[in-house]
Amino acid sequence: MTLKELAKALGLSPTTVSRALNGFPEVSEETRKKVRAAAEAYGYRPNMRARSLATGRAMAIGHVIPIQSGHEMVNPVFADFISGAGEIYSQAGYDMLISIVPDDRQQQAYQDFRTKGSVDGIIVHAPRAGDRRIHLLNEVGIPFVVHGRASDTHEDYSWVDMNNLRAFERATKLLLDLGHRRIALINGLEDMDFAIRRRAGVRAALETQGIALDDRLCFTGEMTEQYGHAAMTKLLALPDPPTAVLTSSMIPGIGIRRAIRESGREIGRDVSVIIHDDDLSYLPNGRDDPLFTATRSSVREAGRAAATMLLDIIATGDFTPRHVLLEADLILGRSTGPVQALTPT
């Protein structure tokens, strides 16, 4: 069905129908509802090119993905975030433009989006401490939402984040309640904001018991299975190895489990492990009987929240910074237990 045919069926002019579908304020709410209901009933789908011309919008949201090796964005957790955001874009008639660039070309990619007018807004991924992209996007005036927060950035901006500090503070306190005192942290890259906050959460919990965070028990790196395995192997080789370990993802958690098994020890009995699992659709931790004790949050839900926030900023023109802080659940699994003395193997 064409726009003209829909207008004829409704007894309205094509201009009125177009304006109703595109949310123009001069069309009454009653007419908008009537037109949208008819469009749904008749299966009408607007011509996006024509809609873009009518609204002056590109009807697309930009995502810039760096491809430099050693960067956290290689983590496939990104796929779940994109899936959540994509659901919201699709419902609103928006497309997604993904620009894959070398790490040092990110700022140019944002400027190109603005210059070409190819997107109406941008989602910023993987913020770092003092992230310069925040200032750049504030300066060019394009709507944006950050997935995460940027430590040491003094400008305000819109963001959706998980309470990383609180999640890892709670997880560490659980281990302390189980009697653990030598607690290791196998973290993500620690110039990334989430990793900075998770380390701060571990430190805060330890300090409640008068324990200093031992840097020799802390690792930082790209969150791969191999990284988790290598870090845990080194920890278990220490004269006084940790009895518990926290890690920033399910993915290194699998490597940690492999290293514990290879050492002849048992996870949950000899070494307790807590992961952050992001409620991954492609790598489930289990619902009724979780393998790992985990701080669990839905990165897909974070994608939905960020997309919803950005589309509202675009629709209203209100650039007032907005903030959504999601809390993680602490899920008990089979990977944690009371502290026991480790014996050499």
Side-chain angles (χ1 to χ4, degrees):
M1 169 174 273
T2 67
L3 179 68
K4 287 183 178 180
E5 289 170 338
L6 178 61
K8 185 176 180 180
L10 286 164
L12 298 171
S13 71
T15 300
T16 299
V17 171
S18 176
R19 288 177 176 271
L21 291 171
N22 289 311
F24 280 77
E26 58 265 33
V27 179
S28 71
E29 182 62 25
E30 182 182 351
T31 300
R32 280 199 295 270
K33 288 181 178 179
K34 177 182 176 182
V35 170
R36 287 169 182 166
E40 185 67 28
Y42 287 113
Y44 171 75
R45 293 295 177 267
N47 180 303
M48 297 310 297
R49 188 174 184 84
R51 182 174 178 179
S52 176
L53 290 171
T55 61
R57 296 176 185 161
M59 302 306 297
I61 302 298
H63 295 252
V64 176
I65 311 303
I67 57 173
Q68 195 93 349
S69 61
H71 197 289
E72 283 292 345
M73 287 314 299
V74 303
N75 194 318
V77 169
F78 175 69
D80 263 21
F81 180 91
I82 283 294
S83 295
E87 292 174 20
I88 302 301
Y89 300 154
S90 178
Q91 292 168 12
Y94 273 76
D95 293 324
M96 184 189 311
L97 290 184
I98 297 180
S99 179
I100 301 176
V101 298
D103 207 11
D104 59 2
R105 290 273 302 168
Q106 287 188 79
Q107 290 196 22
Q108 185 61 51
Y110 291 122
Q111 289 170 333
D112 288 347
F113 272 150
R114 179 60 169 174
T115 302
K116 295 175 182 176
S118 53
V119 301
D120 299 311
I122 292 172
I123 299 286
V124 177
H125 298 277
R128 299 173 180 266
D131 202 309
R132 292 177 297 175
R133 294 174 296 175
I134 306 299
H135 175 71
L136 171 68
L137 289 168
N138 274 331
E139 198 171 55
V140 300
I142 190 169
F144 71 97
V145 170
V146 180
H147 178 211
R149 286 173 285 172
S151 302
D152 302 323
T153 297
H154 304 295
E155 300 180 55
D156 203 359
Y157 53 93
S158 294
W159 51 260
V160 173
D161 196 12
M162 195 272 290
N163 195 342
N164 289 288
L165 190 152
R166 174 65 178 149
F168 271 58
E169 184 178 22
R170 288 181 65 202
T172 305
K173 285 182 176 179
L174 171 64
L175 294 173
L176 290 168
D177 289 344
L178 291 170
H180 297 278
R181 293 299 180 268
R182 281 187 63 75
I183 299 173
L185 173 63
I186 299 177
N187 207 358
L189 294 168
E190 287 192 351
D191 62 344
M192 308 294 284
D193 186 87
F194 76 86
I196 294 170
R197 295 179 190 272
R198 290 177 187 179
R199 185 182 181 108
V202 175
R203 180 184 295 109
L206 291 174
E207 286 177 351
T208 65
Q209 298 296 319
I211 303 170
L213 181 61
D214 188 342
D215 287 338
R216 295 170 298 176
L217 301 183
C218 296
F219 287 76
T220 175
E222 184 185 324
M223 295 189 295
T224 65
E225 192 274 348
Q226 295 88 343
Y227 160 62
H229 178 267
M232 194 68 220
T233 299
K234 290 177 181 177
L235 287 168
L236 292 174
L238 293 172
D240 187 13
T243 62
V245 59
L246 299 108
T247 189
S248 278
S249 171
M250 161 79 86
I251 300 167
I254 294 171
I256 290 167
R257 180 180 62 172
R258 178 161 65 94
I260 292 171
R261 285 179 173 175
E262 289 174 356
S263 74
R265 298 176 173 91
E266 183 179 329
I267 190 170
R269 184 192 69 187
D270 302 311
V271 185
S272 287
V273 177
I274 298 181
I275 67 167
H276 182 71
D277 78 343
D278 277 312
D279 197 18
L280 301 179
S281 58
Y282 68 95
L283 194 61
N285 185 29
R287 288 287 176 181
D288 297 330
D289 185 23
L291 170 61
F292 288 102
T293 296
T295 54
R296 174 177 289 172
S297 69
S298 171
V299 72
R300 185 179 291 248
E301 182 56 37
R304 294 188 188 105
T308 299
M309 180 184 291
L310 181 56
L311 292 183
D312 190 63
I313 292 170
I314 293 167
T316 63
D318 181 1
F319 281 55
T320 304
R322 312 164 188 204
H323 309 138
V324 171
L325 186 61
L326 304 171
E327 296 292 340
D329 295 321
L330 182 58
I331 306 298
L332 296 179
R334 288 177 277 141
S335 65
T336 49
V339 66
Q340 296 190 32
L342 288 174
T343 56
T345 58

